[in-house]
Amino acid sequence: MRHHRLNRLRLAGLGLAALGLLAGCSLAPGSHMDYQTETAPIDELVDIEPITPGLIASWQTAAGGQPMSAELKAQLEAYEYRVGPGDVLSIIVYDHPELTNPGGTERSAAEVGNRVQADGTFFYPYIGRVQAEGKTIGEIRSELSRRLAAYITQPQVEVSVAAFNAKKVYLSGEVSEPKTLPITSVPLTLVDAISQVGSANPGANWHAVYLNRNGQQQRISLFELMRNGDMTQNRLLQPGDILHVPSAENQAVAVMGQVNRPGSIPLGNERMTLTDAISRSGGIDERSANPSGIFVIRGQEQGDKLATVYQLDVRNAASFTLGNRFALEPQDVIYVTTAPIARWNRVISLLLPSISLPGVAAETVNDVDDAQN
C-alpha cells in the first residue's frame, strides 16, 4: 500500500511540476497562451499541443484496426523450430520396427523417444551420437538418413518432436493462470499466449503489458491489441521471454483543479475520454473555472522533454466533442484552472515548494484552489 501511495504522490508531483513549467504563462491578446518562462522557453521543457480536430484525426488514423506489421509477417513466414536440450524426438525408420519403437507399443513416443541431452546430442543405434541442438527437424532427418545409409539400404526416416521441453516463455501477473508455455513448431505470438491462459483478469492493466527480452523491456498495449484490433502491438515470442500483465490498481488518471469532485479515476480495460473523466468528476465548476484552461499533462518516457501538455478550449461548447474523442492514458493528469490564467504565477509559487515533500501533494491541491479563489 505504501508503494502505491508513493506512486500516486509521484503522479501528482509530475502533474504539478508540469504545471509549474507553465508558471510564466500569460494570456495574450486573442486568448492564446504565451508559453515563455523567465528562465527558458517552455517548449524546451515540455511539448505544447492544443487539442484540435487535426490532432484527433491524426491519432485516429494511427490507432485501431492496424494490420500485422511487415516485420512480424516476415518472422512468421520464416519461422522454423530448432531443437534444444530436453526435447524428446520421435524417430521412425520405415520397415525397421526395432529402430522405430524399441520400448514397445504400450509406451508413448514422449516416453520412449530420443531425449536430447545437456550437451545437445542424442544416441541412436548403429550411428552413435547425433548433434541435434540448434538444428531443424529437416536437418536432423537428413543427417540420420545419410549416416544410416551405411547400414540400411535407402533408409526412409521420419523425425518429429514428441515433447517440447527446451524452450519456454513465462507469463506472470494478472492472468487467469500464470504459467510457462513451451515454444513449439507452431510459432507462439503474444495473442496466442494470452489466449492460452484464458485472457487477462478484469483487474489487469490492459494499457501497459511488459515484454522482457534479453534485459530489454517493451511496453505493449493489450487494450489496443485486443479491443481495437491493432495488430502492430502483436509480437512473436522468443525463448526466455517474460510477459508480465500488471495490476490496474495504480493505473488511473488524476483530475485536479476546478471540478466538482477532484480525485483519481481508474481506467480499467475500457476506453476513457477527457470528457468522460470530467463528467465522472462532477463536471467543471462553472463559477471559477476558466473554459480555455483545461489541460492534460502526459509524462514522456523517452526524449528530453518532461511531459506533453494538451490544452482544450471549451468556450465554445461544441469543443466538448473534441474532448469526447481525446483518449486518456494511465497516469494522465487533468487540471482545470481558474480565471485569469495570468494569476498562475502566485499560485505556482505556492505549489512548487511542496512538490518534493512526501505526503503533501494532495493537500497542496486544496491550498492552491483556495489561493485561486
Side-chain angles (χ1 to χ4, degrees), residues 138-151:
E139 291 169 343
I140 296 173
R141 181 191 303 115
S142 296
E143 181 173 351
L144 286 173
S145 298
R146 178 180 59 79
R147 294 175 64 177
L148 283 172
Y151 307 94

Side-chain angles (χ1 to χ4, degrees), residues 160-230:
S160 62
V161 180
F164 293 92
N165 300 320
K167 303 174 183 181
K168 298 179 175 66
V169 298
Y170 306 88
L171 271 72
S172 64
E174 293 293 324
V175 291
S176 301
E177 186 182 356
K179 62 192 300 185
T180 60
L181 295 176
I183 297 290
T184 71
S185 55
V186 178
L188 181 67
T189 66
L190 188 152
V191 171
D192 297 329
I194 294 294
S195 299
Q196 287 188 36
V197 297
S199 190
N201 291 336
N205 174 16
W206 284 55
H207 300 272
V209 173
Y210 294 97
L211 176 61
N212 297 282
R213 175 179 295 169
N214 299 325
Q216 301 294 320
Q217 188 177 81
Q218 300 179 42
R219 177 175 174 175
I220 299 168
S221 174
L222 194 60
F223 177 87
E224 293 297 334
L225 178 60
M226 304 295 280
R227 295 292 193 194
N228 290 341
D230 181 5

Side-chain angles (χ1 to χ4, degrees), residues 261-285:
R261 293 193 302 271
S264 294
I265 303 175
L267 286 184
N269 60 6
E270 297 297 338
R271 178 178 180 268
M272 183 182 296
T273 67
L274 176 56
T275 302
D276 292 333
I278 292 175
S279 177
R280 295 188 191 187
S281 299
I284 294 173
D285 187 344

Side-chain angles (χ1 to χ4, degrees), residues 51-308:
I51 299 176
T52 63
L55 176 69
I56 300 297
S58 67
W59 286 359
Q60 291 179 336
T61 299
Q66 296 295 305
M68 181 188 301
S69 68
E71 179 183 6
L72 178 57
K73 184 176 181 180
Q75 289 174 341
L76 293 176
E77 290 176 349
Y79 181 81
E80 280 190 291
Y81 182 78
R82 294 188 176 274
V83 172
D87 284 340
V88 179
L89 301 179
S90 173
I91 301 174
I92 298 174
V93 181
Y94 291 101
D95 295 328
H96 290 272
E98 76 283 2
L99 294 177
T100 295
N101 192 0
T105 58
E106 292 80 11
R107 302 172 67 186
S108 67
E111 294 176 303
V112 302
N114 301 88
R115 183 176 295 273
V116 180
Q117 303 302 312
D119 63 358
T121 68
F122 67 92
F123 177 82
Y124 201 73
Y126 297 156
I127 61 178
R129 290 287 171 186
V130 178
Q131 180 66 38
E133 183 177 6
K135 293 184 177 180
T136 66
I137 292 300
E139 291 169 343
I140 296 173
R141 181 191 303 115
S142 296
E143 181 173 351
L144 286 173
S145 298
R146 178 180 59 79
R147 294 175 64 177
L148 283 172
Y151 307 94
I152 300 173
T153 302
Q154 296 182 340
Q156 299 182 52
V157 181
E158 181 62 44
V159 180
S160 62
V161 180
F164 293 92
N165 300 320
K167 303 174 183 181
K168 298 179 175 66
V169 298
Y170 306 88
L171 271 72
S172 64
E174 293 293 324
V175 291
S176 301
E177 186 182 356
K179 62 192 300 185
T180 60
L181 295 176
I183 297 290
T184 71
S185 55
V186 178
L188 181 67
T189 66
L190 188 152
V191 171
D192 297 329
I194 294 294
S195 299
Q196 287 188 36
V197 297
S199 190
N201 291 336
N205 174 16
W206 284 55
H207 300 272
V209 173
Y210 294 97
L211 176 61
N212 297 282
R213 175 179 295 169
N214 299 325
Q216 301 294 320
Q217 188 177 81
Q218 300 179 42
R219 177 175 174 175
I220 299 168
S221 174
L222 194 60
F223 177 87
E224 293 297 334
L225 178 60
M226 304 295 280
R227 295 292 193 194
N228 290 341
D230 181 5
M231 294 303 293
T232 62
Q233 301 285 326
N234 203 9
R235 300 289 187 276
L236 176 64
L237 298 181
Q238 299 178 8
D241 282 353
I242 300 175
L243 186 63
H244 181 69
V245 182
S247 168
E249 182 177 354
N250 195 42
Q251 300 301 311
V253 296
V255 186
M256 302 178 178
Q258 302 309 302
V259 292
N260 290 309
R261 293 193 302 271
S264 294
I265 303 175
L267 286 184
N269 60 6
E270 297 297 338
R271 178 178 180 268
M272 183 182 296
T273 67
L274 176 56
T275 302
D276 292 333
I278 292 175
S279 177
R280 295 188 191 187
S281 299
I284 294 173
D285 187 344
E286 297 181 0
R287 297 168 300 176
S288 56
N290 180 352
S292 68
I294 300 175
F295 293 92
V296 179
I297 301 124
R298 180 170 297 169
Q300 294 187 6
E301 294 184 352
Q302 300 178 347
D304 56 357
K305 300 294 182 69
L306 174 65
T308 300

Side-chain angles (χ1 to χ4, degrees), residues 300-335:
Q300 294 187 6
E301 294 184 352
Q302 300 178 347
D304 56 357
K305 300 294 182 69
L306 174 65
T308 300
V309 179
Y310 299 96
Q311 180 192 5
L312 179 64
D313 186 339
V314 293
R315 285 173 295 176
N316 180 347
S319 297
F320 268 116
T321 60
L322 293 177
N324 198 42
R325 295 159 60 192
F326 185 97
L328 296 172
E329 295 182 0
Q331 300 186 354
D332 279 353
V333 176
I334 301 168
Y335 195 89

Side-chain angles (χ1 to χ4, degrees), residues 347-357 360 364:
V347 173
I348 297 301
S349 69
L350 298 175
L351 280 173
L352 290 179
S354 304
I355 291 174
S356 61
L357 301 178
V360 300
T364 301

